[in-house]
């Protein structure tokens, strides 16, 4: 009779899965902070509110790691409505008179698209490093 105990195998697989998840979180975190830095350099700068309200959020849910960069500069309109003017500025066509040269709309979307491969490499590298 030949017997094989699966418990150790499954425990090892669980540990590997945990390491991959932790490593992926580290890679996503690095990529998100890189995107935050890049986007801040292109974000409009008047009083600095927009850049100082930027932030990040990293979540792990099951086998999914999600990272986001956000800008949340809100103002209250004359009618009392709260508006996130970061979204309005981001989606503008072009700034006619930017207060700071080099700033422009799509400051978050532009570096995300431009550097997507770099961010993927950062995540893959972190996972590879975590599995060693």
């Amino acid at each position: 009779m030949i017997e094989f105990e699966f418990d150790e195998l499954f425990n090892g697989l669980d540990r590997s899965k945990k390491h991959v998840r932790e490593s992926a979180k580290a890679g996503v975190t690095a990529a998100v902070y890189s995107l935050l830095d890049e986007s801040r350099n292109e974000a409009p700068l008047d009083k600095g509110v927009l850049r100082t309200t930027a932030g990040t959020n990293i979540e792990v849910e099951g086998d999914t790691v999600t990272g986001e960069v956000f800008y949340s500069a809100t103002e209250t309109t004359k009618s009392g409505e709260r508006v996130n003017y970061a979204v309005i500025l981001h989606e503008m066509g072009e700034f006619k008179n930017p207060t700071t040269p080099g700033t422009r709309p799509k400051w978050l979307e532009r570096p995300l698209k431009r550097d997507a491969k770099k961010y993927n490499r950062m995540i893959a590298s972190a996972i590879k490093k975590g599995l060693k």
Side-chain angles (χ1 to χ4, degrees):
M1 175 186 335
I2 298 173
E3 290 183 356
F4 183 80
E5 181 60 46
F6 287 98
D7 287 341
E8 284 302 311
L9 173 65
F10 290 137
N11 286 337
L13 291 174
D14 286 342
R15 281 192 299 275
S16 293
K17 190 174 182 180
K18 181 182 176 190
H19 284 123
V20 169
R21 192 179 306 114
E22 289 171 356
S23 299
K25 182 180 179 185
V28 168
T29 300
V32 163
Y33 278 104
S34 178
L35 176 57
L36 176 64
D37 289 343
E38 291 293 322
S39 65
R40 272 189 177 145
N41 291 334
E42 293 186 23
L45 178 63
D46 186 11
K47 299 171 191 156
V49 175
L50 185 62
R51 291 184 183 192
T52 60
T53 61
T56 63
N57 186 38
I58 312 294
E59 290 185 10
V60 179
E61 190 173 313
D63 292 336
T64 303
V65 180
T66 305
E68 71 175 334
V69 173
F70 60 85
Y71 287 79
S72 182
T74 58
E75 287 186 350
T76 304
T77 64
K78 291 178 184 178
S79 64
E81 184 182 1
R82 303 264 311 152
V83 176
N84 184 354
Y85 72 87
V87 174
I88 296 167
L89 286 174
H90 188 271
E91 296 304 317
M92 285 181 134
E94 279 301 318
F95 298 143
K96 291 186 186 336
N97 298 306
T99 55
T100 305
T103 63
R104 53 192 168 192
K106 304 286 188 186
W107 64 86
L108 183 55
E109 183 178 326
R110 187 174 281 110
L112 176 61
K113 286 181 176 180
R114 180 190 66 220
D115 297 333
K117 288 180 182 178
K118 176 179 89 170
Y119 300 137
N120 285 330
R121 283 191 306 270
M122 291 170 80
I123 296 165
S125 176
I127 293 170
K128 190 183 273 188
K129 182 179 176 184
L131 290 176
K132 288 184 179 180

